[in-house]
Structures are given as C-alpha cells and as structure tokens.
C-alpha cells in the first residue's frame, strides 16, 4: 500500500507545499478531472495542477481532507474523501471526491483520475471567475 505517499500528498496539498508536491509526481505525470470537455473531463500536466492546488491552499481557510478511505490497487490506490474548507466570504465548502492514483516503479505518482462532485465545486468556480473579473 502507498499509505505514506498518499499521506504526504494530502499534507502537501493542504499546506500549499508546491516543492513537495512536485517531488511526489513522476516526470510527465497527468491529472484528469471529471467535468465538461471531451471524454467527460479534462487532463492537465503537473505545472497546471500545481497552480490549481496552490490557488486552493491560498483561497480556502481551514482547508482539509476528511472521511478519507483508501484501498490498495495493483500499481496504486483509490482514495475517497471529502474536501472541506471555508471560502473567503465565510461560506463553508464541501466536495466529495474519489481519486484513482497510479504509482510508477520509483514510488511517484504517474497519473491521477479525480472524480469530484461537480456541483460541490461551483463555489470555487464562482470565486475564480470573480477574481479574474476583478483583475480585468
């Protein structure tokens, strides 16, 4: 089981530790998220994913993963969790998600497929849109 890798990954996300996150990804790692787009989602590389995760850690207070359940898979693991935090306006955020994580031979994350409650992410999309509009 890749318990230590998974724990380090979650701690680095919530702590906004981009250097640790980058070290946990294999070269060329890809992260797929369900949602709109061809094939029912969108894929991103490590740099784009790190920007997203850094933005989350900067914009959510009390950012945490709870109700974590993990199971080993051949070559990786599956994790179910609930992402919780508080938005800048004080509103609570709660998104249920499932990650299917593929780990390469060196013990680094080669691929993540994230299935998240897309409606739960609406407040984050609204916040990002408001921030873009304020910069324009």
């Amino acid at each position: 089981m890749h318990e230590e890798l998974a724990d380090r990954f979650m701690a680095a996300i919530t702590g906004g530790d981009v250097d640790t996150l980058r070290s946990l990804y294999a070269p060329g790692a890809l992260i797929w998220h369900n949602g709109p787009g061809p094939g029912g989602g969108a894929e991103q590389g490590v740099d784009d994913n790190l920007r997203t995760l850094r933005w989350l850690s900067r914009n959510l207070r009390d950012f945490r993963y709870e109700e974590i359940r993990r199971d080993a898979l051949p070559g990786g693991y599956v994790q179910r969790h609930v992402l919780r935090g508080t938005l800048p306006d004080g509103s609570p955020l709660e998104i249920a998600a499932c990650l299917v994580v593929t780990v390469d031979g060196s013990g680094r994350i080669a691929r993540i497929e994230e299935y998240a409650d897309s409606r739960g992410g609406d407040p984050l999309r609204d916040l990002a849109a408001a921030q873009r509009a304020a910069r324009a």
Side-chain angles (χ1 to χ4, degrees):
M1 176 66 165
H2 301 281
E3 196 76 29
E4 182 182 339
L5 172 65
D7 288 343
R8 289 182 62 211
F9 185 65
M10 294 289 109
I13 292 171
T14 57
D17 185 348
V18 173
D19 292 334
T20 295
L21 284 168
R22 186 177 299 282
S23 76
L24 297 176
Y25 281 122
L30 294 172
I31 300 89
W32 178 88
H33 306 275
N34 70 304
E43 195 170 69
Q44 61 183 180
V46 171
D47 289 337
D48 287 337
N49 184 249
L50 293 177
R51 272 191 289 282
T52 299
L53 295 174
R54 184 176 31 235
W55 181 86
L56 274 177
S57 70
R58 289 180 179 165
N59 283 280
L60 287 179
R61 289 190 324 266
D62 196 23
F63 178 21
R64 64 204 185 277
Y65 291 94
E66 296 182 331
E67 301 175 40
I68 297 171
R69 294 167 295 156
R70 289 188 195 120
D71 296 299
L73 296 174
Y77 62 94
V78 63
Q79 174 177 303
R80 281 98 46 221
H81 60 255
V82 179
L83 179 156
R84 291 191 171 102
T86 305
L87 294 162
D89 68 1
S91 302
L93 178 75
E94 182 174 292
I95 303 172
C98 177
L99 304 178
V100 179
V101 181
T102 303
V103 178
D104 72 5
S106 70
R108 295 167 74 187
I109 296 169
R111 181 172 181 82
I112 296 175
E113 294 189 9
E114 180 182 40
Y115 300 86
D117 170 14
S118 56
R119 294 307 313 226
D122 285 349
L124 291 174
R125 283 185 286 283
D126 293 345
L127 174 60
Q131 289 175 345
R132 283 191 301 274
R135 288 191 302 267

